[in-house]
Amino acid sequence: MAFLDWRSPEHYDHNGDKPCVICTKPTPLRSDRGKPVHKVCAEEWIDAHTPKDEGAGK
């Protein structure tokens, strides 16, 4: 499972909430690229869109 460290201040927009690009609910959080997104939404998106290593453990 992906874990993003968004403790740094650039991930919080003091200008107000905008709709999350994934779930459309309001959020003051911003991605590394400045897009409004909840941390958990971003982590779930990464998990769903990261290729799995099917050869692991063999």
Side-chain angles (χ1 to χ4, degrees):
M1 175 160 206
F3 177 75
L4 299 172
D5 182 357
W6 282 10
R7 291 180 279 187
S8 59
E10 66 265 9
H11 288 288
Y12 187 86
D13 187 347
H14 293 279
N15 294 319
D17 292 353
K18 290 188 179 177
C20 174
V21 295
I22 297 173
C23 75
T24 70
K25 293 180 182 173
T27 181
L29 297 176
R30 302 295 183 260
S31 71
D32 289 344
R33 296 182 178 174
K35 302 289 183 186
V37 63
H38 296 103
K39 181 176 175 288
V40 293
C41 289
E43 291 168 341
E44 289 174 3
W45 189 93
I46 290 168
D47 285 343
H49 293 88
T50 300
K52 305 291 186 256
D53 183 5
E54 295 182 24
K58 291 186 179 180

